[in-house]
Amino acid sequence: MNATVHLKPGAADRVVAGHPWIYQGEILRMTQTPADGEIVQVKDHRQRFLGIGFFNSKSKIHVRVLSPERVDINEAFFEERIRAALALRRKRLPASSSFRVVNAEADFLSGLIVDKYEDVLVLQISALGMEKRKALVAGVLEKIFSPRAIVERSDVASRKFEGLAPAVGLLSGAFEGPLWVTLNGLKFETDLAAGHKTGLYLDQQTNYQAVAQCVSLLPDARVLDCFSFLGGFGLHAARAGAARVHFLDQSAEAIEAARRNSAANGLAGKCSFEAANVFDWLKANTAVQPHEKVIPRFDLIILDPPSFTRNRASVPDALRGYKEIHLRALKLLKTGGILASFCCSHHVPSGLFQDTLLSAAFDTRRILRRLAVYSQSPDHPVIPMIPETEYLKGFAFEVVR
Ligand code: SAH
């Protein structure tokens, strides 16, 4: 008989609405003390059944709800959830061979991420209950995908809040070295063992195409791709007809990978690469003598920085960082040019991000026309009842004057 966790009055609504996290402070009492990683039943203070989920006393999130019904958490359960997640991707990204198959809470599998990079799967687990069922999940993935290999990248910082050590390695199959991943017909050399996220930024897959469309509005475009990593935005722009693309990233390794990617796609001739801190580079390239003006020289600038915030408290500092790069980028953009800018911090909502951008426009006395609003690719679904599922936002603005 599973333990029952009773919630305090008022704590049930969020669960009923579909949010899977139950914090320690929301628990009224438990019928027995469950072992960490075990399945518990969740009820409100009036005995109304709310669902079942994983229990972990070591985590502030004491219960991660898996289902509003009394189902067994077995192979059939995981198979059904993962197949439903896959069907969504096949529908929304029919031409993609690489995408996120399961995105944790957004696919009703809290603590589990599965990425498909061509014929290799990468598994990332961030919750104890899921960790205990890793072999079960891996077996289901074998059955559905017959992958060449399953690589584990459970090296996220949040594992320590669940009492879990990092786990990295090969779970099944054979796999070595870099993998060439195709996104929108362009090839990217990807390091699944040590690359960012689980290899690359799948969440920008649809935005690469959308931003590249801006290039058709800009004849002979000179493009600056800031925080370029493997070159996703810049290479799509180069293929779309840009005249020149300059890539900037502080990681020399990323710059070299982007250079190899440009060659692999036959685009090296119009690309140049520089390992530099974007803040320093923009500052040096907008420095002028008093009474001199910066000469704008780019038609399209892409800003896709890492998240500058880890928590709510660091938001003001992050906004200063975002404002600074926008201010300097706007000085380098020609009239009629386009700024494509992204923010991947969950703690900075879209409106606040746009306000920061507009305040940089005000300071540089430029008027912007909004061309597009971007979000994360559809393999990173947004469930508004679970605000944490929404994090990536972006805009394209045309400089009117
Ligand atoms: N646009 C990329 C993702 C960017 S991730 C893509 O679509 O794949 C953020 C990148 O910014 C990382 O490659 C990191 O090395 C780089 N970075 C972080 N801080 C930086 C800084 N201050 N200056 C330059 N690059 C930076």
Side-chain angles (χ1 to χ4, degrees), residues 196 200-204 208 225-233 248-252 254 275-280 302-308 344:
H196 293 206
L200 52 73
Y201 290 83
L202 293 168
D203 55 1
Q204 292 283 28
Y208 292 149
D225 181 354
C226 296
F227 308 95
S228 54
F229 190 45
L230 303 182
F233 282 106
L248 284 181
D249 198 290
Q250 72 182 7
S251 153
N277 179 314
V278 168
F279 285 86
D280 297 344
I302 297 130
L303 297 174
D304 182 26
S307 171
F308 295 149
C344 60

Side-chain angles (χ1 to χ4, degrees), residues 48-357:
R48 178 174 53 141
F49 178 77
L50 300 175
I52 57 152
F54 294 140
F55 181 80
N56 186 0
S57 67
K58 292 197 184 68
S59 171
K60 263 196 225 163
I61 303 172
H62 256 38
V63 182
R64 291 171 186 266
V65 175
L66 290 163
S67 173
E69 277 150 40
R70 283 190 180 85
V71 290
D72 289 333
I73 304 306
N74 54 16
E75 190 184 336
F77 168 82
F78 283 111
E79 185 172 346
E80 190 201 313
R81 287 278 160 102
I82 294 171
R83 282 196 191 277
L86 178 61
L88 176 72
R89 276 70 180 172
R90 295 267 188 238
K91 202 156 55 183
R92 301 286 312 277
L93 292 172
S96 298
S97 51
S98 296
F99 47 82
R100 179 155 289 191
V101 179
V102 173
N103 199 18
E105 283 75 16
D107 289 292
F108 314 104
L109 288 168
S110 186
L112 178 68
I113 284 174
V114 180
D115 286 341
K116 173 177 170 340
Y117 291 103
E118 308 301 331
D119 57 354
V120 177
L121 296 179
V122 180
L123 184 75
Q124 186 168 75
I125 285 180
S126 59
L128 177 71
M130 222 36 109
E131 176 77 22
K132 295 213 160 187
R133 290 156 184 86
K134 188 169 14 191
L136 194 61
V137 171
V140 168
L141 293 174
E142 289 286 347
K143 180 171 173 192
I144 300 176
F145 295 91
S146 309
R148 168 151 64 108
I150 303 179
V151 176
E152 179 166 25
R153 276 293 302 276
S154 300
D155 51 357
V156 280
S158 58
R159 268 174 78 94
K160 71 170 182 285
F161 303 120
E162 292 270 321
L164 292 168
V168 176
L170 197 60
L171 285 184
S172 73
F175 173 72
E176 238 185 282
L179 179 75
W180 286 92
V181 171
T182 302
L183 301 178
N184 307 308
L186 288 173
K187 289 182 280 184
F188 293 87
E189 182 193 309
T190 308
D191 179 0
L192 299 187
H196 293 206
K197 296 240 180 180
T198 61
L200 52 73
Y201 290 83
L202 293 168
D203 55 1
Q204 292 283 28
Q205 184 163 195
T206 48
N207 295 331
Y208 292 149
Q209 286 278 61
V211 171
Q213 279 171 9
C214 295
V215 170
S216 61
L217 307 170
L218 305 162
D220 291 324
R222 313 251 143 191
V223 178
L224 179 65
D225 181 354
C226 296
F227 308 95
S228 54
F229 190 45
L230 303 182
F233 282 106
L235 291 177
H236 280 77
R239 182 183 57 180
R244 304 261 351 140
V245 184
H246 192 59
F247 296 79
L248 284 181
D249 198 290
Q250 72 182 7
S251 153
E253 246 175 79
I255 282 294
E256 285 316 309
R259 192 195 299 278
R260 289 193 295 276
N261 290 337
S262 73
N265 290 289
L267 296 166
K270 46 168 86 171
C271 298
S272 52
F273 301 87
E274 193 176 343
N277 179 314
V278 168
F279 285 86
D280 297 344
W281 193 95
L282 288 173
K283 200 170 190 176
N285 282 271
T286 50
V288 283
Q289 299 297 323
H291 311 300
E292 271 183 8
K293 276 193 139 182
V294 180
I295 299 170
R297 51 201 170 89
F298 290 103
D299 300 281
L300 170 63
I301 298 182
I302 297 130
L303 297 174
D304 182 26
S307 171
F308 295 149
T309 58
R310 291 226 175 274
N311 49 46
R312 219 166 285 275
S314 60
V315 167
D317 277 346
L319 294 181
R320 270 190 290 280
Y322 287 119
K323 179 161 176 187
E324 153 124 23
I325 52 176
H326 286 102
L327 200 88
R328 297 193 188 276
L330 284 171
K331 288 186 183 174
L332 286 171
L333 266 180
K334 295 181 203 164
T335 299
I338 295 172
L339 179 65
S341 183
F342 292 87
C343 169
C344 60
S345 170
H346 164 67
H347 300 288
V348 178
S350 178
L352 186 56
F353 182 52
Q354 177 169 282
D355 286 349
T356 307
L357 222 148

